[in-house]
Amino acid sequence: MRRLPMLTTTLAAAALLVLSGCSAAPAFTGTWSGTGENAPSLEISEDGAFAGTDGCNRMVGSGEVAEQSFEFGQFATTRKFCEGVDTWLSLAGSATVDGDTLTVLDADGAELGTLTRG
């Protein structure tokens, strides 16, 4: 009956793989960046804490994964005036991930912009 321990190990590994694939949080975690001068950037931790910049103002807060989106919740941000900087990230309400692209939406679900993983 040498097959039983090997079968048990294989089933346990398969279950772990399936269960780890169900966790949505890691899809959102990491560093996300825009392009160009004064580009926005955002870092999301596994516990939902996030910090970043809209290219001008710093922002910090805590959000949570809800189904297939990241809900930003309330966050603090500085309010400096930066001429010529599009501060769209400071209007974030939620975000979705598709591969290496984080699409940021406002509170009404309208797309504000995208950031790339890295």
Side-chain angles (χ1 to χ4, degrees):
M1 283 271 135
R2 294 178 55 123
R3 294 177 123 188
L4 186 58
M6 190 160 95
L7 178 60
T8 303
T9 302
T10 302
L11 289 174
L16 182 61
L17 187 60
V18 167
L19 291 175
S20 67
C22 292
S23 175
F28 293 96
T29 60
T31 302
W32 303 89
S33 303
T35 58
E37 189 177 338
N38 299 316
S41 65
L42 185 65
E43 185 169 341
I44 302 174
S45 301
E46 285 188 33
D47 65 357
F50 62 89
T53 177
D54 62 9
C56 174
N57 293 290
R58 301 285 309 153
M59 56 192 294
V60 61
S62 183
E64 63 182 47
V65 175
E67 295 186 23
Q68 297 300 315
S69 68
F70 181 79
E71 302 296 326
F72 281 89
Q74 295 183 343
F75 55 89
T77 181
T78 59
R79 291 287 182 197
K80 297 185 292 182
F81 173 75
C82 298
E83 190 171 343
V85 177
D86 184 357
T87 58
W88 59 266
L89 187 57
S90 64
L91 302 173
S94 64
T96 60
V97 171
D98 184 11
D100 286 335
T101 301
L102 181 80
T103 301
V104 180
L105 311 169
D106 68 12
D108 296 324
E111 183 177 325
L112 293 170
T114 60
L115 300 173
T116 304
R117 187 184 303 274

